[in-house]
Amino acid sequence: MKFKRWGASALFFTLLGSQPSFAFFKGSSWHLFPVPIFKTLPGEGQTYGLMPVLTSTGPDGELRSINALAETYNRITGLSTFTANYIYPSPYSYFYFFGELAQHFAREATVRYVHRPRLDGTFIWEGGFSYLQYPFERFFGFGPRTTSGDETNFVSESLTGNAEIGYHITAAITSSYIFRVDNWRLEPRALSTVPDTSTVFAGNPEVVRSTNLTHRWELQYDTHSTFSFSETGELFRAAYLTSLRPLGSDFTFHGYNLYSKITRSFLGDRFTTVVRGQL
């Protein structure tokens, strides 16, 4: 499939050009944590596994990387191997890679780079892409009258990419523009006990493969000292988004998003609480 071969090639060259120099890890302290995995979800069933996590820190205790390699088992996907890697070249940026390959259905390759300084008059940027095949999708139809008896299943195959550019009006206030591409395909079901979505909704013009180009504008107020590990701060964000058929999307839609996050630490910063709200 050309789609998959292109994704694998792009992933290889992105990783090749994005890996930091080994000199970055000079003088690091390394720590290994074996983490057992047990997950149970109504839509996925139970997943078991083991995930050794290797972390590195700098001379001053600053986090430099988190690297995990896991082996899991799920009744539908079978044995699965995945790796997750975070690299923090500075307090304001990180590189992320996630890859998964299962015996059946589940596939993922995600690469992302984020650079978000906290200084007045600076630019922020972010970019990444992801290929994902997910076997536990559910679709119940349209409208408020659907019931659990209308449940259908499909395997989704998606390719997404996004790019963001923004500017710090002040150290706490940021204005940004985000462009996102989503390409979705519906593949036959993975769950034999649930009707197949493509069969049940055959001929429906809204249950089809689609590509959407989404434009999003955000205004954000954020007092967290860093975007990942702050112990205190407030964040409030308002966003408007649109996808227009005349500009290349398969569907036209508009929307908004209001998001807030409050972070507080207590007992000598030993515990941190995060409260989020979204509309």
Side-chain angles (χ1 to χ4, degrees), residues 116-127:
R116 290 182 176 273
R118 310 290 301 180
L119 302 175
D120 182 9
T122 57
F123 285 93
I124 63 172
W125 63 85
E126 176 180 334

Side-chain angles (χ1 to χ4, degrees), residues 43 75-76 135-138 151 153 189-195:
R75 184 177 62 86
I76 301 300
F136 300 109
E137 301 284 9
R138 299 295 205 278
E151 178 183 10
N153 169 244
R189 65 182 178 179
L191 307 178
S192 59
T193 57
V194 180

Side-chain angles (χ1 to χ4, degrees), residues 161-163 177-182 211-217 240-244 247 249 251 253-255:
N162 76 289
Y177 165 74
I178 301 140
F179 175 70
R180 181 181 173 97
V181 180
D182 291 271
T211 298
N212 285 292
L213 313 178
T214 307
H215 307 268
R216 180 183 176 109
W217 293 267
Y240 170 78
L241 61 91
T242 184
S243 180
L244 302 172
L247 297 182
S249 296
F251 297 96
F253 58 85
H254 309 272

Side-chain angles (χ1 to χ4, degrees), residues 73 163 195:
Y73 175 78

Side-chain angles (χ1 to χ4, degrees), residues 4 39 44 47 72-82 98-109 131-137 154-158 187-190:
K4 293 182 180 178
K39 180 176 69 170
E44 298 185 7
T47 302
T72 63
Y73 175 78
N74 178 279
R75 184 177 62 86
I76 301 300
T77 61
L79 289 174
S80 174
T81 301
F82 72 80
F98 182 92
E100 180 180 13
L101 181 63
Q103 282 182 295
H104 312 291
F105 305 112
R107 307 282 189 273
E108 182 173 356
Y131 169 77
L132 175 63
Q133 185 171 286
Y134 181 69
F136 300 109
E137 301 284 9
F154 66 97
V155 176
S156 64
E157 186 178 59
S158 63
E187 301 293 345
R189 65 182 178 179

Side-chain angles (χ1 to χ4, degrees), residues 32 57 88 90 95 100 109 114 117 120 129 149 153 163 212 215 235 239 245 260 264 272:
L32 180 64
T57 56
Y88 301 91
S90 78
F95 170 82
E100 180 180 13
V114 176
D120 182 9
F129 71 88
N153 169 244
N212 285 292
H215 307 268
L235 183 154
R245 181 173 291 181
S260 64
R264 290 291 183 270
T272 300

Side-chain angles (χ1 to χ4, degrees), residues 42-230:
E44 298 185 7
Q46 296 179 341
T47 302
Y48 310 87
L50 180 65
M51 181 175 66
V53 179
L54 183 66
T55 65
S56 67
T57 56
D60 297 324
E62 73 277 12
L63 184 64
R64 288 184 170 177
S65 68
I66 304 173
N67 308 279
L69 180 65
E71 191 72 21
T72 63
Y73 175 78
N74 178 279
R75 184 177 62 86
I76 301 300
T77 61
L79 289 174
S80 174
T81 301
F82 72 80
T83 179
N85 304 273
Y86 289 86
I87 298 174
Y88 301 91
S90 78
Y92 306 116
S93 61
Y94 72 86
F95 170 82
Y96 168 69
F97 167 71
F98 182 92
E100 180 180 13
L101 181 63
Q103 282 182 295
H104 312 291
F105 305 112
R107 307 282 189 273
E108 182 173 356
T110 299
V111 175
R112 182 173 302 282
Y113 181 76
V114 176
H115 179 72
R116 290 182 176 273
R118 310 290 301 180
L119 302 175
D120 182 9
T122 57
F123 285 93
I124 63 172
W125 63 85
E126 176 180 334
F129 71 88
S130 178
Y131 169 77
L132 175 63
Q133 185 171 286
Y134 181 69
F136 300 109
E137 301 284 9
R138 299 295 205 278
F139 186 66
F140 294 84
F142 301 96
R145 298 183 182 275
T146 57
T147 67
S148 59
D150 300 320
E151 178 183 10
T152 64
N153 169 244
F154 66 97
V155 176
S156 64
E157 186 178 59
S158 63
L159 179 66
T160 62
N162 76 289
E164 176 180 356
I165 182 71
Y167 182 74
H168 272 284
I169 302 171
T170 69
I173 300 176
T174 307
S175 177
S176 60
Y177 165 74
I178 301 140
F179 175 70
R180 181 181 173 97
V181 180
D182 291 271
N183 180 278
W184 279 74
R185 293 171 58 93
L186 278 72
E187 301 293 345
R189 65 182 178 179
L191 307 178
S192 59
T193 57
V194 180
D196 179 65
T197 301
S198 298
T199 302
V200 173
F201 293 92
N204 190 308
E206 296 187 8
V207 186
V208 293
R209 171 180 179 173
S210 66
T211 298
N212 285 292
L213 313 178
T214 307
H215 307 268
R216 180 183 176 109
W217 293 267
E218 291 185 354
L219 185 64
Q220 176 174 287
Y221 172 81
D222 185 8
T223 62
H224 293 81
S225 58
T226 65
F227 57 83
S228 297
F229 303 110
S230 291

